[in-house]
Amino acid sequence: MTEPFRTFSKSRYLLIVDDDPAVREVLATLLVEEGHRCATAEDADQALAMIEGEPFDLVLSDLKMPGRDGLWLLEAIRRILPSLPVVILTGHAGRDREAELLERGAAGFLLKPPSIPDLVELIGRVVPD
């Protein structure tokens, strides 16, 4: 009997930004299992410094973080690297907030905790092969 065949899409280099170390680690571990490369940042300032020196394909950021939040990071990225997709994750949202984030340039939006299939599908849509 043959083993099940699992296909991986093109590996993408993702930056995961969240003030909760457990969230960063779980998301990075699961996304690496899906075939992606991941780096993590604990806040918006660290993420911005990393973005300026690394060729990321996508940023996955929490919205609510101490200090500068995900919206600040989104706007900073839009100024320096307007083509870099940013997906926002949050536990606090509604349709109005989602519309605001998309209007401000977010490539996507998911509620926390995201389902991994939904997250993988969104990454594939935002950063096609």
Side-chain angles (χ1 to χ4, degrees):
M1 181 172 214
T2 62
E3 278 191 46
F5 180 72
R6 183 170 183 183
T7 60
F8 289 102
S9 60
K10 172 184 155 195
S11 177
R12 294 164 181 95
Y13 190 23
L14 312 174
L15 176 59
I16 300 165
V17 187
D18 199 297
D19 59 306
D20 184 334
V23 170
R24 289 192 310 266
E25 185 168 325
V26 166
L27 285 174
T29 299
L30 292 170
L31 289 168
V32 165
E33 287 176 4
E34 290 295 326
H36 301 295
R37 295 181 306 132
C38 294
T40 63
E42 65 185 29
D43 60 34
D45 290 318
Q46 183 183 25
L48 195 57
M50 292 173 73
I51 288 164
E52 291 174 341
E54 295 284 331
F56 292 104
D57 295 310
L58 180 130
V59 175
L60 183 62
S61 178
D62 188 15
L63 181 60
K64 293 202 180 246
M65 297 182 283
R68 297 181 174 165
D69 65 9
L71 184 56
W72 179 89
L73 180 60
L74 171 64
E75 291 173 346
I77 292 169
R78 292 284 63 81
R79 283 191 301 274
I80 62 169
L81 287 170
S83 65
L84 179 61
V86 178
V87 171
I88 299 292
L89 296 177
T90 187
H92 312 83
R95 292 230 181 261
D96 292 341
R97 188 63 162 167
E98 181 178 0
E100 176 191 359
L101 292 168
L102 295 174
E103 286 173 15
R104 290 184 179 218
F109 173 89
L110 287 173
L111 290 175
K112 284 172 88 175
S115 92
I116 295 305
D118 288 347
L119 181 55
V120 168
E121 189 272 330
L122 179 59
I123 292 168
R125 211 171 356 107
V126 171
V127 187
D129 289 343

